[in-house]
Amino acid sequence: MNQLLKTNIGRLRIIGFLEGISLLLLLFVAMPLKYIFHYPVATSIMGTIHGALFLLFIFNTLSVGVEQGWQFKHTTWKVLLACIIPFGTFYIDKKILRICKQ
């Protein structure tokens, strides 16, 4: 874990994991709590956490894309798209981020 924190791509992988978990919690825990059990506080809390992680993921993706020399039309857009698809950040971590030079 300490090794991941030392590089920008490692930090992006950690943020991607946290962002993916927050999206799943928002969709599959907080939203049902709001609409089925009439407990809207869950979405306001989880939505705020997910929004912060989402923005952090976007900014770090762009930073790593510049650092790694990714071409936007080949790599960067795929990583950016992954953060709005459930389980997308986990897929991108396995297919792109894990094999990038650290």
Side-chain angles (χ1 to χ4, degrees), residues 15-28 30-31 42-58 80-90:
I15 293 166
F17 177 77
L18 295 173
E19 196 276 336
I21 293 293
S22 74
L23 177 59
L24 294 176
L25 287 174
L26 181 64
L27 291 176
F28 298 115
M31 296 295 280
T43 53
S44 64
I45 293 170
M46 202 62 235
T48 302
I49 293 169
H50 171 67
L53 288 169
F54 177 80
L55 291 174
L56 198 57
F57 185 81
I58 297 288
L80 290 173
L81 180 66
C83 67
I84 60 173
I85 300 172
F87 302 101
T89 55
F90 307 119

Side-chain angles (χ1 to χ4, degrees), residues 24-89:
L24 294 176
L25 287 174
L26 181 64
L27 291 176
F28 298 115
V29 176
M31 296 295 280
L33 283 173
K34 179 179 181 177
Y35 291 108
I36 296 171
F37 300 107
H38 307 289
Y39 188 71
V41 174
T43 53
S44 64
I45 293 170
M46 202 62 235
T48 302
I49 293 169
H50 171 67
L53 288 169
F54 177 80
L55 291 174
L56 198 57
F57 185 81
I58 297 288
F59 292 135
N60 279 314
T61 297
L62 296 174
S63 174
V64 168
V66 168
E67 177 187 287
Q68 296 282 321
W70 291 346
Q71 291 185 357
F72 189 85
K73 65 180 181 177
H74 292 293
T75 306
T76 307
W77 76 271
K78 293 175 187 175
V79 177
L80 290 173
L81 180 66
C83 67
I84 60 173
I85 300 172
F87 302 101
T89 55

Side-chain angles (χ1 to χ4, degrees), residues 86-101:
F87 302 101
T89 55
F90 307 119
Y91 177 80
I92 283 299
D93 180 64
K94 183 176 176 129
K95 294 295 183 182
I96 295 177
L97 299 180
R98 203 176 274 176
I99 59 173
C100 288
K101 54 185 170 183

